mmCIF file of all heavy atoms in Angstrom:
data_model
loop_
_atom_site.group_PDB
_atom_site.id
_atom_site.type_symbol
_atom_site.label_atom_id
_atom_site.label_comp_id
_atom_site.label_asym_id
_atom_site.label_seq_id
_atom_site.Cartn_x
_atom_site.Cartn_y
_atom_site.Cartn_z
ATOM 1 N N LYS O 1 202.993 -41.761 189.472
ATOM 2 C CA LYS O 1 203.104 -42.441 188.181
ATOM 3 C C LYS O 1 201.974 -43.451 187.990
ATOM 4 O O LYS O 1 201.418 -43.587 186.891
ATOM 5 C CB LYS O 1 204.460 -43.158 188.091
ATOM 6 C CG LYS O 1 205.618 -42.220 187.802
ATOM 7 C CD LYS O 1 206.913 -42.971 187.630
ATOM 8 C CE LYS O 1 206.943 -43.669 186.303
ATOM 9 N NZ LYS O 1 208.262 -44.305 186.035
ATOM 10 N N THR O 2 201.631 -44.165 189.089
ATOM 11 C CA THR O 2 200.516 -45.116 189.013
ATOM 12 C C THR O 2 199.206 -44.386 188.702
ATOM 13 O O THR O 2 198.409 -44.817 187.857
ATOM 14 C CB THR O 2 200.380 -45.877 190.344
ATOM 15 O OG1 THR O 2 201.608 -46.547 190.620
ATOM 16 C CG2 THR O 2 199.249 -46.900 190.269
ATOM 17 N N LEU O 3 198.974 -43.252 189.412
ATOM 18 C CA LEU O 3 197.760 -42.454 189.162
ATOM 19 C C LEU O 3 197.752 -41.914 187.745
ATOM 20 O O LEU O 3 196.722 -41.907 187.065
ATOM 21 C CB LEU O 3 197.691 -41.309 190.171
ATOM 22 C CG LEU O 3 196.464 -40.391 190.065
ATOM 23 C CD1 LEU O 3 195.179 -41.170 190.259
ATOM 24 C CD2 LEU O 3 196.561 -39.251 191.079
ATOM 25 N N LEU O 4 198.946 -41.486 187.293
ATOM 26 C CA LEU O 4 199.055 -40.972 185.935
ATOM 27 C C LEU O 4 198.707 -42.054 184.913
ATOM 28 O O LEU O 4 198.011 -41.802 183.926
ATOM 29 C CB LEU O 4 200.466 -40.449 185.693
ATOM 30 C CG LEU O 4 200.751 -39.922 184.286
ATOM 31 C CD1 LEU O 4 199.869 -38.729 183.977
ATOM 32 C CD2 LEU O 4 202.229 -39.540 184.141
ATOM 33 N N ALA O 5 199.191 -43.274 185.153
ATOM 34 C CA ALA O 5 198.885 -44.380 184.240
ATOM 35 C C ALA O 5 197.385 -44.655 184.204
ATOM 36 O O ALA O 5 196.802 -44.891 183.140
ATOM 37 C CB ALA O 5 199.647 -45.633 184.667
ATOM 38 N N LYS O 6 196.734 -44.610 185.395
ATOM 39 C CA LYS O 6 195.284 -44.839 185.451
ATOM 40 C C LYS O 6 194.532 -43.752 184.690
ATOM 41 O O LYS O 6 193.592 -44.025 183.943
ATOM 42 C CB LYS O 6 194.813 -44.871 186.907
ATOM 43 C CG LYS O 6 195.247 -46.110 187.665
ATOM 44 C CD LYS O 6 194.710 -46.066 189.095
ATOM 45 C CE LYS O 6 195.125 -47.298 189.875
ATOM 46 N NZ LYS O 6 194.643 -47.259 191.282
ATOM 47 N N GLU O 7 194.961 -42.502 184.917
ATOM 48 C CA GLU O 7 194.285 -41.396 184.244
ATOM 49 C C GLU O 7 194.533 -41.432 182.740
ATOM 50 O O GLU O 7 193.665 -41.079 181.945
ATOM 51 C CB GLU O 7 194.755 -40.055 184.821
ATOM 52 C CG GLU O 7 194.385 -39.853 186.281
ATOM 53 C CD GLU O 7 192.916 -40.070 186.547
ATOM 54 O OE1 GLU O 7 192.090 -39.674 185.696
ATOM 55 O OE2 GLU O 7 192.576 -40.651 187.587
ATOM 56 N N ALA O 8 195.754 -41.861 182.361
ATOM 57 C CA ALA O 8 196.038 -42.000 180.934
ATOM 58 C C ALA O 8 195.131 -43.054 180.311
ATOM 59 O O ALA O 8 194.622 -42.897 179.193
ATOM 60 C CB ALA O 8 197.505 -42.373 180.725
ATOM 61 N N GLU O 9 194.909 -44.134 181.051
ATOM 62 C CA GLU O 9 194.012 -45.191 180.561
ATOM 63 C C GLU O 9 192.580 -44.672 180.446
ATOM 64 O O GLU O 9 191.885 -44.935 179.456
ATOM 65 C CB GLU O 9 194.063 -46.385 181.517
ATOM 66 C CG GLU O 9 193.259 -47.584 181.044
ATOM 67 C CD GLU O 9 193.363 -48.752 182.008
ATOM 68 O OE1 GLU O 9 194.147 -48.677 182.969
ATOM 69 O OE2 GLU O 9 192.639 -49.743 181.795
ATOM 70 N N LYS O 10 192.145 -43.897 181.459
ATOM 71 C CA LYS O 10 190.804 -43.300 181.407
ATOM 72 C C LYS O 10 190.678 -42.354 180.211
ATOM 73 O O LYS O 10 189.656 -42.325 179.523
ATOM 74 C CB LYS O 10 190.513 -42.521 182.692
ATOM 75 C CG LYS O 10 190.263 -43.390 183.908
ATOM 76 C CD LYS O 10 189.943 -42.509 185.108
ATOM 77 C CE LYS O 10 189.695 -43.331 186.361
ATOM 78 N NZ LYS O 10 189.405 -42.480 187.536
ATOM 79 N N LEU O 11 191.758 -41.573 180.009
ATOM 80 C CA LEU O 11 191.739 -40.624 178.908
ATOM 81 C C LEU O 11 191.641 -41.344 177.573
ATOM 82 O O LEU O 11 190.861 -40.946 176.696
ATOM 83 C CB LEU O 11 192.996 -39.758 178.951
ATOM 84 C CG LEU O 11 193.137 -38.727 177.829
ATOM 85 C CD1 LEU O 11 191.977 -37.748 177.844
ATOM 86 C CD2 LEU O 11 194.462 -37.992 177.937
ATOM 87 N N GLN O 12 192.410 -42.409 177.404
ATOM 88 C CA GLN O 12 192.365 -43.173 176.160
ATOM 89 C C GLN O 12 190.984 -43.783 175.955
ATOM 90 O O GLN O 12 190.455 -43.792 174.840
ATOM 91 C CB GLN O 12 193.428 -44.289 176.185
ATOM 92 C CG GLN O 12 194.857 -43.787 176.002
ATOM 93 C CD GLN O 12 195.021 -43.059 174.681
ATOM 94 O OE1 GLN O 12 195.349 -41.863 174.666
ATOM 95 N NE2 GLN O 12 194.795 -43.728 173.587
ATOM 96 N N PHE O 13 190.403 -44.284 177.046
ATOM 97 C CA PHE O 13 189.055 -44.865 176.955
ATOM 98 C C PHE O 13 188.041 -43.799 176.550
ATOM 99 O O PHE O 13 187.180 -44.029 175.692
ATOM 100 C CB PHE O 13 188.670 -45.479 178.305
ATOM 101 C CG PHE O 13 187.307 -46.107 178.306
ATOM 102 C CD1 PHE O 13 187.084 -47.327 177.681
ATOM 103 C CD2 PHE O 13 186.241 -45.462 178.918
ATOM 104 C CE1 PHE O 13 185.820 -47.898 177.682
ATOM 105 C CE2 PHE O 13 184.980 -46.029 178.908
ATOM 106 C CZ PHE O 13 184.768 -47.257 178.296
ATOM 107 N N ALA O 14 188.171 -42.595 177.191
ATOM 108 C CA ALA O 14 187.245 -41.497 176.863
ATOM 109 C C ALA O 14 187.410 -41.069 175.412
ATOM 110 O O ALA O 14 186.432 -40.808 174.702
ATOM 111 C CB ALA O 14 187.484 -40.313 177.797
ATOM 112 N N LEU O 15 188.681 -40.994 174.955
ATOM 113 C CA LEU O 15 188.926 -40.613 173.559
ATOM 114 C C LEU O 15 188.349 -41.657 172.602
ATOM 115 O O LEU O 15 187.815 -41.319 171.542
ATOM 116 C CB LEU O 15 190.433 -40.452 173.323
ATOM 117 C CG LEU O 15 191.084 -39.240 174.017
ATOM 118 C CD1 LEU O 15 192.588 -39.277 173.849
ATOM 119 C CD2 LEU O 15 190.511 -37.931 173.495
ATOM 120 N N GLY O 16 188.483 -42.942 172.981
ATOM 121 C CA GLY O 16 187.889 -44.010 172.154
ATOM 122 C C GLY O 16 186.384 -43.878 172.076
ATOM 123 O O GLY O 16 185.780 -44.031 171.002
ATOM 124 N N GLU O 17 185.758 -43.576 173.231
ATOM 125 C CA GLU O 17 184.296 -43.387 173.248
ATOM 126 C C GLU O 17 183.903 -42.193 172.387
ATOM 127 O O GLU O 17 182.902 -42.238 171.668
ATOM 128 C CB GLU O 17 183.813 -43.175 174.677
ATOM 129 C CG GLU O 17 183.766 -44.445 175.508
ATOM 130 C CD GLU O 17 183.108 -44.197 176.854
ATOM 131 O OE1 GLU O 17 183.225 -43.072 177.366
ATOM 132 O OE2 GLU O 17 182.493 -45.133 177.370
ATOM 133 N N ILE O 18 184.696 -41.121 172.477
ATOM 134 C CA ILE O 18 184.400 -39.925 171.678
ATOM 135 C C ILE O 18 184.475 -40.254 170.189
ATOM 136 O O ILE O 18 183.634 -39.815 169.391
ATOM 137 C CB ILE O 18 185.383 -38.795 172.032
ATOM 138 C CG1 ILE O 18 185.060 -38.258 173.421
ATOM 139 C CG2 ILE O 18 185.312 -37.669 171.015
ATOM 140 C CD1 ILE O 18 186.064 -37.256 173.936
ATOM 141 N N GLU O 19 185.468 -41.037 169.798
ATOM 142 C CA GLU O 19 185.618 -41.413 168.390
ATOM 143 C C GLU O 19 184.428 -42.239 167.916
ATOM 144 O O GLU O 19 183.882 -42.003 166.832
ATOM 145 C CB GLU O 19 186.923 -42.201 168.200
ATOM 146 C CG GLU O 19 187.207 -42.521 166.732
ATOM 147 C CD GLU O 19 188.529 -43.248 166.560
ATOM 148 O OE1 GLU O 19 189.221 -43.490 167.570
ATOM 149 O OE2 GLU O 19 188.862 -43.584 165.410
ATOM 150 N N VAL O 20 184.017 -43.203 168.765
ATOM 151 C CA VAL O 20 182.863 -44.046 168.407
ATOM 152 C C VAL O 20 181.608 -43.191 168.281
ATOM 153 O O VAL O 20 180.831 -43.316 167.319
ATOM 154 C CB VAL O 20 182.660 -45.155 169.461
ATOM 155 C CG1 VAL O 20 181.341 -45.886 169.219
ATOM 156 C CG2 VAL O 20 183.821 -46.144 169.427
ATOM 157 N N LEU O 21 181.396 -42.299 169.276
ATOM 158 C CA LEU O 21 180.210 -41.440 169.251
ATOM 159 C C LEU O 21 180.244 -40.479 168.067
ATOM 160 O O LEU O 21 179.202 -40.182 167.469
ATOM 161 C CB LEU O 21 180.109 -40.654 170.564
ATOM 162 C CG LEU O 21 179.756 -41.480 171.808
ATOM 163 C CD1 LEU O 21 179.860 -40.621 173.060
ATOM 164 C CD2 LEU O 21 178.367 -42.080 171.699
ATOM 165 N N SER O 22 181.438 -39.992 167.730
ATOM 166 C CA SER O 22 181.562 -39.081 166.585
ATOM 167 C C SER O 22 181.187 -39.781 165.286
ATOM 168 O O SER O 22 180.480 -39.224 164.441
ATOM 169 C CB SER O 22 182.997 -38.548 166.492
ATOM 170 O OG SER O 22 183.318 -37.776 167.625
ATOM 171 N N LYS O 23 181.663 -41.027 165.135
ATOM 172 C CA LYS O 23 181.318 -41.791 163.928
ATOM 173 C C LYS O 23 179.822 -42.075 163.875
ATOM 174 O O LYS O 23 179.190 -41.978 162.821
ATOM 175 C CB LYS O 23 182.102 -43.101 163.898
ATOM 176 C CG LYS O 23 183.598 -42.910 163.627
ATOM 177 C CD LYS O 23 184.330 -44.238 163.608
ATOM 178 C CE LYS O 23 185.817 -44.037 163.328
ATOM 179 N NZ LYS O 23 186.562 -45.320 163.333
ATOM 180 N N GLN O 24 179.262 -42.443 165.043
ATOM 181 C CA GLN O 24 177.819 -42.705 165.093
ATOM 182 C C GLN O 24 177.027 -41.441 164.766
ATOM 183 O O GLN O 24 176.042 -41.487 164.021
ATOM 184 C CB GLN O 24 177.440 -43.209 166.489
ATOM 185 C CG GLN O 24 175.953 -43.568 166.628
ATOM 186 C CD GLN O 24 175.619 -44.083 168.020
ATOM 187 O OE1 GLN O 24 176.506 -44.309 168.823
ATOM 188 N NE2 GLN O 24 174.347 -44.256 168.288
ATOM 189 N N LEU O 25 177.492 -40.310 165.328
ATOM 190 C CA LEU O 25 176.818 -39.037 165.059
ATOM 191 C C LEU O 25 176.898 -38.682 163.584
ATOM 192 O O LEU O 25 175.927 -38.198 162.988
ATOM 193 C CB LEU O 25 177.452 -37.939 165.903
ATOM 194 C CG LEU O 25 176.864 -36.535 165.740
ATOM 195 C CD1 LEU O 25 175.402 -36.523 166.177
ATOM 196 C CD2 LEU O 25 177.661 -35.523 166.553
ATOM 197 N N GLU O 26 178.051 -38.949 162.955
ATOM 198 C CA GLU O 26 178.219 -38.655 161.535
ATOM 199 C C GLU O 26 177.285 -39.512 160.690
ATOM 200 O O GLU O 26 176.664 -39.028 159.736
ATOM 201 C CB GLU O 26 179.677 -38.906 161.134
ATOM 202 C CG GLU O 26 179.992 -38.561 159.692
ATOM 203 C CD GLU O 26 179.804 -37.100 159.361
ATOM 204 O OE1 GLU O 26 179.920 -36.260 160.284
ATOM 205 O OE2 GLU O 26 179.538 -36.779 158.192
ATOM 206 N N ARG O 27 177.176 -40.805 161.068
ATOM 207 C CA ARG O 27 176.248 -41.691 160.331
ATOM 208 C C ARG O 27 174.808 -41.205 160.472
ATOM 209 O O ARG O 27 174.061 -41.144 159.490
ATOM 210 C CB ARG O 27 176.367 -43.126 160.857
ATOM 211 C CG ARG O 27 177.640 -43.849 160.439
ATOM 212 C CD ARG O 27 177.519 -45.350 160.664
ATOM 213 N NE ARG O 27 177.274 -45.675 162.056
ATOM 214 C CZ ARG O 27 178.227 -45.896 162.949
ATOM 215 N NH1 ARG O 27 179.503 -45.807 162.604
ATOM 216 N NH2 ARG O 27 177.921 -46.193 164.196
ATOM 217 N N GLU O 28 174.428 -40.868 161.710
ATOM 218 C CA GLU O 28 173.063 -40.387 161.939
ATOM 219 C C GLU O 28 172.816 -39.069 161.213
ATOM 220 O O GLU O 28 171.714 -38.834 160.697
ATOM 221 C CB GLU O 28 172.827 -40.211 163.442
ATOM 222 C CG GLU O 28 172.769 -41.528 164.200
ATOM 223 C CD GLU O 28 172.593 -41.325 165.690
ATOM 224 O OE1 GLU O 28 172.629 -40.156 166.138
ATOM 225 O OE2 GLU O 28 172.430 -42.331 166.409
ATOM 226 N N LYS O 29 173.841 -38.223 161.154
ATOM 227 C CA LYS O 29 173.715 -36.953 160.427
ATOM 228 C C LYS O 29 173.489 -37.202 158.948
ATOM 229 O O LYS O 29 172.638 -36.560 158.314
ATOM 230 C CB LYS O 29 174.985 -36.126 160.644
ATOM 231 C CG LYS O 29 174.957 -34.779 159.946
ATOM 232 C CD LYS O 29 176.260 -34.035 160.164
ATOM 233 C CE LYS O 29 176.282 -32.721 159.391
ATOM 234 N NZ LYS O 29 177.569 -32.016 159.535
ATOM 235 N N GLN O 30 174.255 -38.157 158.367
ATOM 236 C CA GLN O 30 174.090 -38.479 156.951
ATOM 237 C C GLN O 30 172.699 -39.044 156.682
ATOM 238 O O GLN O 30 172.057 -38.690 155.683
ATOM 239 C CB GLN O 30 175.165 -39.475 156.520
ATOM 240 C CG GLN O 30 176.572 -38.883 156.479
ATOM 241 C CD GLN O 30 177.621 -39.907 156.141
ATOM 242 O OE1 GLN O 30 177.329 -41.091 155.973
ATOM 243 N NE2 GLN O 30 178.875 -39.473 156.044
ATOM 244 N N ILE O 31 172.238 -39.928 157.581
ATOM 245 C CA ILE O 31 170.894 -40.509 157.427
ATOM 246 C C ILE O 31 169.841 -39.408 157.492
ATOM 247 O O ILE O 31 168.896 -39.372 156.685
ATOM 248 C CB ILE O 31 170.643 -41.567 158.518
ATOM 249 C CG1 ILE O 31 171.545 -42.787 158.290
ATOM 250 C CG2 ILE O 31 169.175 -42.005 158.528
ATOM 251 C CD1 ILE O 31 171.522 -43.788 159.422
#
């Protein structure tokens, strides 16, 4: 459960990074 919580946190962090990068990519695409 502890490992699962850590991996869940990593997953959420990775998903957050993906969202930020996706928005940045969309802005750069529009530019």
Side-chain angles (χ1 to χ4, degrees):
K1 283 184 74 174
T2 302
L3 181 60
L4 178 62
K6 289 181 180 179
E7 295 307 322
E9 185 179 353
K10 287 182 180 179
L11 179 60
Q12 286 301 118
F13 180 75
L15 291 173
E17 284 187 329
I18 288 173
E19 185 178 359
V20 171
L21 290 173
S22 296
K23 289 180 180 179
Q24 182 179 352
L25 180 63
E26 183 63 27
R27 287 196 300 270
E28 291 178 354
K29 181 182 176 183
Q30 290 176 358
I31 292 171

